[in-house]
Amino acid sequence: DNPFLEDFYNDKKSFALKSQIYFLADKIDKMYKIKKELNHKPVVLDRSIYEDAFVFASNLYEEGNMTAEEYKLYMNTFEIVKGRIVEPDLMIYLKADVETLKRRIENRGREFEKELVSSVYLENLNKKYDEWIVNYDNELFIIDTNNLDFVNNKDDMYKIIEMIEGEVLYV
């Protein structure tokens, strides 16, 4: 739903900060709505503000697509927001290698994502995920999804759900 995403893929420097702020605001809005509507019931969210900051924004800055001032503004905003939300009880990381990610992007068929399949950007993101997850200090469950097609294969999706349910029982 990010209105800046297609423009971002065409001109990362001009749209990096706008796109990242949109993602951050969207996730915060969802988290507040969930908190208000569900009042402490279990919830699963796709993506987190943590990966936005420590993977995507960090990578954009290191690649020169965000200036130092833009990155500082983003991280300051992230820190303010982070202090006002409830941290997850469990972070589930669906890990995949770059070749698997490329295949998934190709299968998704979004025209504006085609450059990711042949770009270093995807490799850098995967490295950033590995760096971030090693330093994540709350409850964490990593699932290797290289041999699972949870989008097109319901059996694989149910395998992941079973793994998560088994892990949640012990958190």
Side-chain angles (χ1 to χ4, degrees), residues 63-107:
E63 287 186 340
N65 292 310
M66 268 193 210
T67 66
E69 293 80 13
E70 288 173 329
Y71 184 63
K72 183 177 179 183
L73 172 64
Y74 178 86
M75 291 306 292
N76 286 343
T77 305
F78 166 78
E79 288 297 328
I80 291 167
V81 167
K82 185 179 90 167
R84 291 176 169 82
I85 63 166
V86 177
E87 292 196 20
D89 295 321
L90 175 66
M91 180 73 66
I92 301 167
Y93 176 34
L94 303 178
K95 184 172 177 51
D97 61 32
V98 173
E99 289 308 311
T100 300
L101 297 172
K102 286 179 180 181
R103 194 169 48 255
R104 289 178 182 163
I105 290 169
E106 285 174 347
N107 290 340

Side-chain angles (χ1 to χ4, degrees), residues 2-170:
N2 186 333
F4 302 106
L5 197 56
E6 190 169 349
D7 290 328
F8 165 76
Y9 284 118
N10 292 322
D11 183 0
K12 287 187 178 112
K13 285 187 182 190
S14 296
F15 290 92
L17 180 62
K18 294 172 189 171
S19 184
Q20 287 306 118
I21 291 291
Y22 177 88
F23 281 128
L24 181 62
D26 184 59
K27 285 180 186 74
I28 295 303
D29 182 52
K30 287 176 183 168
M31 292 174 87
Y32 281 135
K33 284 178 183 172
I34 287 168
K35 183 178 180 182
K36 181 180 175 183
E37 294 170 11
L38 297 177
N39 197 21
H40 304 292
K41 292 180 183 174
V43 174
V44 176
L45 291 175
D46 178 26
R47 304 278 182 190
S48 74
I49 65 168
Y50 305 100
E51 66 191 288
D52 282 351
F54 300 121
V55 175
F56 291 94
S58 173
N59 186 61
L60 288 167
Y61 171 66
E62 288 179 12
E63 287 186 340
N65 292 310
M66 268 193 210
T67 66
E69 293 80 13
E70 288 173 329
Y71 184 63
K72 183 177 179 183
L73 172 64
Y74 178 86
M75 291 306 292
N76 286 343
T77 305
F78 166 78
E79 288 297 328
I80 291 167
V81 167
K82 185 179 90 167
R84 291 176 169 82
I85 63 166
V86 177
E87 292 196 20
D89 295 321
L90 175 66
M91 180 73 66
I92 301 167
Y93 176 34
L94 303 178
K95 184 172 177 51
D97 61 32
V98 173
E99 289 308 311
T100 300
L101 297 172
K102 286 179 180 181
R103 194 169 48 255
R104 289 178 182 163
I105 290 169
E106 285 174 347
N107 290 340
R108 200 162 41 211
R110 293 180 186 158
E111 187 66 31
F112 60 89
E113 287 182 330
K114 281 189 175 182
E115 77 171 65
L116 289 180
V117 176
S118 62
S119 86
V120 176
Y121 178 71
L122 190 59
E123 292 173 21
N124 289 343
L125 289 178
N126 219 26
K127 287 178 192 172
K128 283 288 186 185
Y129 267 106
D130 289 342
E131 292 168 6
W132 166 64
I133 215 69
V134 165
N135 295 307
Y136 186 76
D137 59 359
N138 290 334
E139 290 291 327
L140 174 65
F141 183 47
I142 299 173
I143 300 174
D144 183 335
T145 64
N146 283 305
N147 297 313
L148 299 170
D149 183 0
F150 51 88
V151 173
N152 299 307
N153 184 327
K154 287 190 180 197
D155 289 339
D156 285 350
M157 182 182 67
Y158 290 128
K159 284 179 192 174
I160 291 175
I161 291 169
E162 287 175 12
M163 286 186 250
I164 293 168
E165 286 174 341
E167 182 67 20
V168 169
L169 292 175
Y170 300 104

